[in-house]
């Protein structure tokens, strides 16, 4: 059951990215669209991030719709708790605060510290994930287009499948 779900998930990511690679956008526009999508999706927006995608698409004509929405597929609700946990830990590490509540601190103070840890760590993780996503999608887009132009016997689809093999 889990194997089938992962296979469906991989197929959705692959379809979205291939649609973005085929679009009439520059590789940098596709990669930046994906990076913006990852950045917004990684933030704790409570679902408002997808609404922001529509605002960005209407404001900037260069945004690749498949690429920005591929980010939602990559950072789906199953993955988001791990992102938030990592954000909390990174924030605690950077702020030098103990993530475990002590008896000397009030509940309000504990909540304030926890929120600071989450927001700082989440901002740093969002920047890092979007930078990594930009580089990967830029490379894959360029590779796909080079192979398409050369009519190479191997497809980028097989390269992407290689990334998602077990």
């Amino acid at each position: 059951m889990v194997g089938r779900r992962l296979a469906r998930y991989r197929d959705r990511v692959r379809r979205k990215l291939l649609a973005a690679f085929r679009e009439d956008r520059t590789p940098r526009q596709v990669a930046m669209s994906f990076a913006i999508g990852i950045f917004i999706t990684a933030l704790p927006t409570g679902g408002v991030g997808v609404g922001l995608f529509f605002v960005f698409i209407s404001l900037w004509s260069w945004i690749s719709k498949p690429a920005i929405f591929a980010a939602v597929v990559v950072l789906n609700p199953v993955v988001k708790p791990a992102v938030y946990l990592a954000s909390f830990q990174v924030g605690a590490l950077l702020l030098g605060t103990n993530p475990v509540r002590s008896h000397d601190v009030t509940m309000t103070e504990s909540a304030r510290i926890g929120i600071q840890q989450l927001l700082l760590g989440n901002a740093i993780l969002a920047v890092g994930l979007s930078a990594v996503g930009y580089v990967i999608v830029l490379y894959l887009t360029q590779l796909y287009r080079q192979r398409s132009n050369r009519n190479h016997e191997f497809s980028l689809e097989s390269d992407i499948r290689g990334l998602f093999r077990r």
Side-chain angles (χ1 to χ4, degrees), residues 24-38:
D24 189 25
R25 304 263 189 266
T26 68
R28 291 187 187 281
Q29 288 173 334
V30 172
M32 185 55 76
S33 298
F34 184 79
I36 289 170
I38 288 289

Side-chain angles (χ1 to χ4, degrees), residues 7-18:
R8 283 194 308 250
Y9 171 73
R10 284 191 315 256
D11 289 340
R12 283 180 38 205
V13 170
R14 188 179 311 122
R15 279 193 312 269
K16 292 276 189 193
L17 286 176
L18 285 173

Side-chain angles (χ1 to χ4, degrees), residues 6-98:
L6 286 175
R8 283 194 308 250
Y9 171 73
R10 284 191 315 256
D11 289 340
R12 283 180 38 205
V13 170
R14 188 179 311 122
R15 279 193 312 269
K16 292 276 189 193
L17 286 176
L18 285 173
F21 298 157
R22 292 180 184 123
E23 259 194 327
D24 189 25
R25 304 263 189 266
T26 68
R28 291 187 187 281
Q29 288 173 334
V30 172
M32 185 55 76
S33 298
F34 184 79
I36 289 170
I38 288 289
F39 181 80
I40 298 297
T41 305
L43 294 175
T45 59
V48 176
V50 175
L52 281 174
F53 292 170
F54 290 108
V55 172
F56 293 158
I57 289 167
S58 68
L59 290 177
W60 300 316
S61 62
W62 59 266
I63 294 278
S64 167
K65 292 175 196 170
I68 201 167
F69 282 105
V72 176
V73 177
V74 171
L75 289 181
N76 61 51
V78 175
V79 177
K80 289 280 281 211
V83 171
Y84 291 150
L85 180 63
S87 298
F88 187 76
Q89 295 300 323
V90 167
L93 179 72
L94 292 174
L95 291 174
T97 54
N98 186 358

Side-chain angles (χ1 to χ4, degrees), residues 10 13-19 21 140-141 143-144 147 155-165:
R10 284 191 315 256
V13 170
R14 188 179 311 122
R15 279 193 312 269
K16 292 276 189 193
L17 286 176
L18 285 173
F21 298 157
L140 290 174
T141 305
L143 184 64
Y144 176 82
R147 289 192 173 180
S155 70
L156 178 64
E157 192 168 345
S158 65
D159 289 340
I160 293 174
R161 282 188 182 148
L163 292 174
F164 293 103
R165 284 200 181 111

